[in-house]
Amino acid sequence: MTSTRCRATSEVRPEVMDFSPYSAGLSIDEIKERYGLDTVVKLASNENPLGTSPLVQQVIRSHAGHVFRYAQSGNPRLGKKIAAFFGIPEDGVVTGNGSDEVIDLLIRAKARPGVDNIIAFDPCFSMYTVLTRLCGVELRQTPLKPDFSFDWDALVNLADDKTAITFVTTPDNPSGYTPPVEEIMALAGRLPEQCLLVVDEAYMDFTGDRDAYSMLPRLADFPNVCVLRTFSKSMGLAGLRLGFGAMQPELADYLKRIRPPFSVNILAEHAGMAALDDDTFYTETLRVTAEGREYLNRELAALGCTVFPSRANFIMFEAPVDGAALHEGLLRRGVILRPLNKGYGLPRHMRVSVGNNHENAVFIAAFKEILDAR
Ligand SMILES: Cc1ncc(COP(=O)(O)O)c(C=O)c1O
């Protein structure tokens, strides 16, 4: 079909006109096809190293016949189960199509286009920037310190009486840096009263110490805080899309009013409940990740990389060779990592997800081969 230029289709909102999309990790099929490979190891999107829980697979199979139905609007059963599991009030839980959807709802509910601003560190998880821009809201950012720790004073200095949201990620993506929770509690007390502090804890389970790092058990004392969690990482449901926000019931009620009714689908709802029941899979995920993280820390340092300490299921490092060449060399050998040039503006840094023992070893062997070939 030849395309005809037509104002009805060529004119969109100015925010959309020059929009750069979220830059996702490359897919296994893409790389197999591009380089004619039979096997590819993907360590680019911080997915679960054990795959999908067997219990979840069984539950999905048993509900396959129900997908002609809509899910129960608002997923009340799932919300109840999440609340009981995490020990938080049910009326403060908002489920979403990934925590991405909850981020979107929060921005749209809180920030007035052309009036309010949102603040975050730079770099930060790129969905905060993508969704803020889409909404026509000003984004203010302050750089992380050179060691990727947080400059709280600089962050607070960005805030004014039009700051709708402050985003903080802990453990941080892409560095893995995790501040003590006392620092986040202190931040909550320093922001303007209309500003919601959104603490994104997508990788919190991998710290193995929620007492030391998580705001979730402390929410009752911090009404201006919302905590985000996802089922994509430690629970292994990235492809089904499920996350939630825990917040004050009043704010949760606003979000529930604007949320599309069936964004958490029927399989995601049942899989989410099953994932919360599968303690064996969850515990093993944390064990394999902690062990793999140790291994990768050691091996990357031995290969001459600068390795940034991480409490998450990924590690950021700077290689002793050009980042783009390393990325390409790894792809040719069937290993997908996340270069941090696009989306994060870090041309010399790479992020590797902690895989299972085999995947980690394949990555290190390919990396060695590239260094030896210099
Ligand atoms: C910091 C952070 N927050 C949120 C998300 C989104 O998670 P979900 O898959 O639940 O949308 C990610 C995913 O990579 C992430 O890294």
Side-chain angles (χ1 to χ4, degrees):
M1 191 176 86
T2 52
S3 79
T4 317
R5 193 163 163 80
C6 149
R7 282 186 65 195
T9 51
S10 67
E11 285 182 16
V12 292
R13 285 169 46 213
E15 294 88 350
V16 177
M17 205 75 97
D18 56 356
F19 210 75
S20 324
Y22 174 76
S23 137
L26 295 163
S27 78
I28 290 181
D29 287 341
E30 234 173 310
I31 297 307
K32 276 188 180 168
E33 204 174 310
R34 194 189 295 174
Y35 297 102
L37 298 165
D38 291 331
T39 54
V40 166
V41 164
K42 183 181 177 219
L43 299 174
S45 303
N46 308 332
E47 292 147 342
N48 193 298
L50 301 184
T52 312
S53 130
L55 179 63
V56 166
Q57 294 191 37
Q58 193 192 321
V59 164
I60 289 175
R61 275 193 294 273
S62 72
H63 284 91
H66 301 151
V67 297
F68 73 105
R69 295 256 183 240
Y70 289 107
Q72 204 179 353
S73 181
N75 318 104
R77 277 176 307 195
L78 176 61
K80 198 181 187 68
K81 184 132 189 164
I82 288 172
F85 184 88
F86 290 96
I88 50 180
E90 191 184 329
D91 53 2
V93 173
V94 178
T95 50
N97 188 270
S99 44
D100 285 347
E101 187 184 28
V102 187
I103 295 169
D104 185 38
L105 292 174
L106 285 167
I107 294 174
R108 288 197 283 153
K110 279 282 298 172
R112 293 166 296 177
V115 178
D116 289 329
N117 62 75
I118 287 178
I119 67 181
F121 288 114
D122 183 18
C124 63
F125 176 51
S126 48
M127 286 306 281
Y128 312 152
T129 49
V130 166
L131 296 171
T132 300
R133 292 208 174 105
L134 178 59
C135 215
V137 171
E138 180 195 356
L139 180 70
R140 298 181 179 174
Q141 291 182 277
T142 184
L144 295 170
K145 292 183 184 171
D147 65 353
F148 287 81
S149 65
F150 297 165
D151 185 343
W152 299 117
D153 291 341
L155 191 70
V156 171
N157 284 340
L158 293 177
D160 60 19
D161 63 348
K162 296 286 189 291
T163 303
I165 297 177
T166 298
F167 281 107
V168 171
T169 314
T170 178
D172 199 14
N173 180 6
S175 76
Y177 172 74
T178 313
V181 72
E182 288 76 15
E183 294 187 12
I184 298 187
M185 288 154 66
L187 173 70
R190 294 177 67 191
L191 291 167
E193 61 177 351
Q194 83 289 346
C195 174
L196 180 73
L197 172 57
V198 177
V199 183
D200 186 342
E201 299 191 350
Y203 302 98
M204 183 55 69
D205 292 338
F206 301 105
T207 68
D209 191 350
R210 73 183 219 157
D211 282 348
Y213 301 109
S214 176
M215 283 297 279
L216 197 58
R218 300 170 164 92
L219 265 189
D221 298 328
F222 294 90
N224 60 338
V225 173
C226 162
V227 171
L228 299 178
R229 289 291 185 100
T230 177
F231 282 67
S232 299
K233 316 294 177 181
S234 56
M235 306 271 178
L237 298 185
L240 275 182
R241 314 302 300 123
L242 180 60
F244 72 93
M247 64 202 80
Q248 286 294 304
E250 194 180 9
L251 180 59
D253 181 51
Y254 286 124
L255 263 57
K256 286 175 188 169
R257 290 192 221 173
I258 63 172
R259 174 180 56 181
F262 312 111
S263 61
V264 174
N265 68 69
I266 209 161
L267 293 183
E269 176 180 304
H270 287 290
M273 293 195 288
L276 293 174
D277 284 336
D278 197 345
D279 192 45
T280 311
F281 178 84
Y282 174 79
T283 310
E284 185 62 1
T285 294
L286 300 194
R287 190 192 67 74
V288 167
T289 306
E291 200 178 288
R293 193 170 56 196
E294 275 305 298
Y295 167 80
L296 289 177
N297 273 333
R298 243 187 355 258
E299 295 293 324
L300 287 170
L303 292 177
C305 298
T306 305
V307 183
F308 293 81
S310 168
R311 293 188 190 275
N313 66 337
F314 53 82
I315 295 174
M316 186 174 79
F317 64 94
E318 223 181 310
V321 287
D322 176 64
L326 173 62
H327 182 225
E328 177 66 23
L330 287 169
L331 288 180
R332 284 183 185 287
R333 289 167 177 79
V335 180
I336 314 177
L337 252 59
R338 185 65 182 261
L340 298 174
N341 50 349
K342 276 192 234 152
Y344 293 96
L346 297 167
R348 287 164 44 228
H349 295 70
M350 308 271 277
R351 192 189 68 196
V352 58
S353 311
V354 179
N356 59 36
N357 291 349
H358 169 71
E359 292 169 326
N360 296 335
V362 167
F363 157 56
I364 293 296
F367 196 166
K368 278 187 182 146
E369 207 178 284
I370 292 167
L371 292 178
D372 289 345
R374 279 184 302 168

